[in-house]
């Protein structure tokens, strides 16, 4: 019994050429998965820009939050689970079963993603301070005390008079307006009214600058978040395609499941790309991200079909490669989905600040439905 066990294990850890059946279906999957991915990711982008389609707002609402649930479930069920399966496989040395490497790598992915976002936001705030305007302060959490026009730096000394606050935050070019306002009154009796007018105009300029700063800050943060989301999704898509291409007898079950997986995931990504406030100069990035998502899984399938004669799905090299990249992608998507798609979206965004509880619970329900359906798909893929 002990002598036959290594042979059985060796047989299980190798994929022979005889197991590559359904070649016609495998080749067709390159095109079918591409079309499904393209339809899913392009639907929100195209529908919001083509007047003839004229989809109701509730469709965008559904696509946005249902897709968020799909992404969340993908991170836990499809990526983290698969990473753990690969990195704890009996086809690997015993050392891989002595430590939960998949969860450790995912943890590194979470902290790495957080570090990227932390540095990005710090650099934006630093740039805003150098420009003479203040970065937006979060109105929730520990910094709420500093949200009423105060500084993030709680130990920063206060100016001696209100005028100093306004004048320190006005661009030099804008001082001409203030100077003009000061020169409009030559009567000493009007000095009080003139000073009041100067303060009001300075306050208006400050508000305008702060509004611009907040808008720019939110835009950069949203774009950085969507880039992280895109990176996490595209990162694992090639390996999804590779797995489909070189899978054995389970290919017939895996094929339709991956098609639905890509369509749902594309729907979620497309809704997020569409909700990002791209400027006219960089709107092409949204279309580029959509195309990248559409072609990565078919590209992985094509690569898998090309190397099928030499690639062993259960070889140590393949298991470690797939496991590591799935774990990294899981960490990225776990952070992005929990912090951005759930925490920031529901608790700290302006969208739900004045919304009814029915609207908030509706968004939550669609998100939960997307997560549940994607988790059920995980039973086959």
């Amino acid at each position: 019994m002990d002598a036959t066990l290594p042979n059985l294990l060796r047989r299980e850890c190798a994929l022979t050429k005889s197991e590559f059946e359904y070649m016609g279906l495998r080749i067709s999957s390159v095109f079918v998965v591409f079309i499904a991915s393209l339809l899913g990711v392009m639907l929100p982008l195209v529908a919001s820009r083509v007047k003839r389609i004229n989809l109701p707002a509730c469709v965008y609402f559904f696509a946005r939050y249902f897709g968020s649930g799909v992404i969340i479930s993908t991170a836990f069920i499809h990526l983290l689970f698969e990473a753990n399966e690969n990195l704890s496989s009996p086809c690997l040395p015993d050392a891989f079963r002595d430590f939960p490497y998949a969860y450790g790598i995912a943890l590194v992915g979470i902290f790495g993603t957080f570090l990227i976002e932390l540095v990005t936001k710090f650099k934006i705030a630093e740039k805003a301070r150098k420009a003479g305007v203040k970065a937006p302060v979060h109105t929730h959490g520990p910094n709420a005390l500093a949200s009423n026009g105060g500084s993030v730096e709680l130990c920063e000394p206060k100016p001696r008079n209100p005028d100093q606050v306004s004048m320190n935050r006005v661009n030099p070019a804008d001082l001409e307006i203030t100077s003009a306002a000061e020169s409009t009154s030559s009567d000493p009796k009007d000095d009080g009214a003139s000073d009041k007018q100067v303060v009001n105009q300075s306050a208006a300029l400050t508000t305008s600058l702060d509004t611009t700063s907040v808008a720019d800050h939110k835009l950069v943060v949203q774009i950085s978040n969507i880039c992280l989301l895109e990176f996490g999704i595209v990162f694992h898509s090639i390996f999804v395609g590779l797995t489909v291409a070189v899978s054995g007898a389970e290919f017939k079950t895996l094929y339709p499941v991956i098609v639905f997986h890509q369509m749902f995931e594309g729907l979620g990504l497309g809704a997020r790309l569409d909700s990002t406030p791209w400027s006219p100069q960089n709107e092409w990035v949204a279309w580029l991200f959509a195309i990248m998502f559409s072609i990565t899984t078919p590209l992985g399938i094509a690569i898998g079909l090309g190397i099928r004669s030499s690639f062993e799905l259960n070889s140590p090299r393949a298991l470690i490669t797939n496991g590591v990249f799935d774990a990294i992608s899981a960490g990225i998507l776990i952070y992005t989905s929990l912090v951005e798609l759930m925490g920031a979206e529901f608790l700290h965004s302006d969208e739900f600040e004045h919304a009814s509880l029915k609207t908030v619970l509706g968004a939550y329900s669609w998100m939960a439905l997307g997560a549940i359906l994607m988790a059920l798909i995980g039973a086959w893929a």
Side-chain angles (χ1 to χ4, degrees):
M1 183 66 179
D2 293 337
T4 59
L5 184 59
N7 293 330
L8 292 175
L9 186 59
R10 195 178 300 111
R11 175 64 181 84
E12 181 184 349
C13 295
L15 188 64
T16 62
K17 296 180 183 180
S18 61
E19 291 176 323
F20 279 99
E21 301 174 344
Y22 319 112
M23 282 304 299
L25 286 177
R26 293 178 192 270
I27 294 174
S28 71
S29 66
V30 176
F31 306 99
V32 174
V33 170
F34 171 72
I35 293 173
S37 303
L38 191 66
L39 287 176
V41 74
M42 286 294 185
L43 179 61
L45 290 171
V46 174
S48 64
R49 291 163 173 78
V50 179
K51 295 182 179 179
R52 293 182 180 180
I53 299 179
N54 195 25
L55 292 178
C58 60
V59 175
Y60 296 101
F61 187 81
F62 159 77
R64 184 174 181 179
Y65 294 103
F66 180 85
S68 296
V70 169
I71 293 171
I72 295 168
S73 186
T74 297
F76 285 96
I77 305 298
H78 295 262
L79 291 178
L80 192 57
F81 174 78
E82 287 295 329
N84 186 62
E85 286 285 297
N86 287 330
L87 294 179
S88 61
S89 171
C91 301
L92 294 178
D94 293 338
F96 282 88
R97 288 177 293 281
D98 295 336
F99 181 82
Y101 285 99
Y103 302 102
I105 295 172
L107 189 62
V108 172
I110 291 172
F111 272 83
T113 306
F114 176 61
L115 179 61
I116 293 173
E117 185 169 6
L118 187 66
V119 172
T120 300
K121 290 187 176 182
F122 177 81
K123 289 296 184 181
I124 295 171
E126 185 180 40
K127 185 177 181 180
R129 288 195 297 268
K130 290 180 179 179
V133 295
K134 293 189 177 182
V137 181
H138 219 291
T139 57
H140 303 272
N143 289 332
L145 295 175
S147 62
N148 297 323
S151 172
V152 178
E153 299 292 334
L154 298 180
C155 297
E156 181 182 5
K158 293 182 180 180
R160 294 183 178 180
N161 57 72
D163 293 346
Q164 185 177 351
V165 177
S166 298
M167 299 304 290
N168 285 342
R169 296 165 68 183
V170 177
N171 288 336
D174 297 327
L175 294 178
E176 296 178 0
I177 301 177
T178 305
S179 300
E182 291 177 343
S183 63
T184 55
S185 178
S186 57
D187 190 351
K189 296 181 180 180
D190 294 336
D191 285 348
S194 178
D195 290 342
K196 185 176 181 181
Q197 183 181 6
V198 171
V199 172
N200 290 338
Q201 290 183 349
S202 298
L205 289 170
T206 300
T207 302
S208 176
L209 288 170
D210 283 347
T211 302
T212 304
S213 176
V214 169
D216 292 343
H217 182 277
K218 288 185 176 180
L219 175 61
V220 175
V221 169
Q222 281 185 284
I223 292 177
S224 65
N225 290 336
I226 197 66
C227 288
L228 290 172
L229 181 64
E230 170 81 9
F231 181 74
I233 291 176
V234 170
F235 205 45
H236 82 276
S237 292
I238 287 187
F239 295 97
V240 170
L242 191 62
T243 302
V244 173
V246 301
S247 58
E250 70 275 12
F251 170 78
K252 291 185 69 174
T253 303
L254 196 60
Y255 186 2
V257 171
I258 291 299
V259 171
F260 283 104
H261 175 283
Q262 290 299 111
M263 184 177 293
F264 287 154
E265 194 172 45
L267 189 65
L269 178 60
R272 292 291 154 183
L273 291 172
D274 183 60
S275 64
T276 302
W278 308 97
S279 67
Q281 291 77 19
N282 59 24
E283 189 177 7
W284 60 270
V285 178
W287 299 99
L288 176 63
F289 281 1
I291 294 296
M292 287 175 60
F293 169 78
S294 302
I295 65 175
T296 46
T297 299
L299 180 62
I301 297 175
I303 293 174
L305 292 177
I307 63 174
R308 67 186 185 278
S309 60
S310 60
F311 185 83
E312 295 180 353
L313 187 61
N314 291 326
S315 66
R317 178 181 297 178
L319 290 170
I320 294 173
T321 301
N322 289 345
V324 169
F325 283 109
D326 279 348
I328 294 173
S329 300
I332 295 172
L333 293 186
I334 287 172
Y335 175 86
T336 305
S337 59
L338 295 183
V339 175
E340 303 297 340
L341 303 187
M342 292 183 71
E345 192 81 16
F346 282 82
L347 302 178
H348 306 309
S349 69
D350 298 334
E351 182 176 357
F352 290 138
E353 186 175 357
H354 303 292
S356 64
L357 181 61
K358 180 180 179 181
T359 301
V360 175
L361 292 180
Y364 172 85
S365 299
W366 287 127
M367 181 178 286
L369 179 62
I372 291 170
L373 290 180
M374 203 63 180
L376 292 176
I377 290 178
W380 296 281

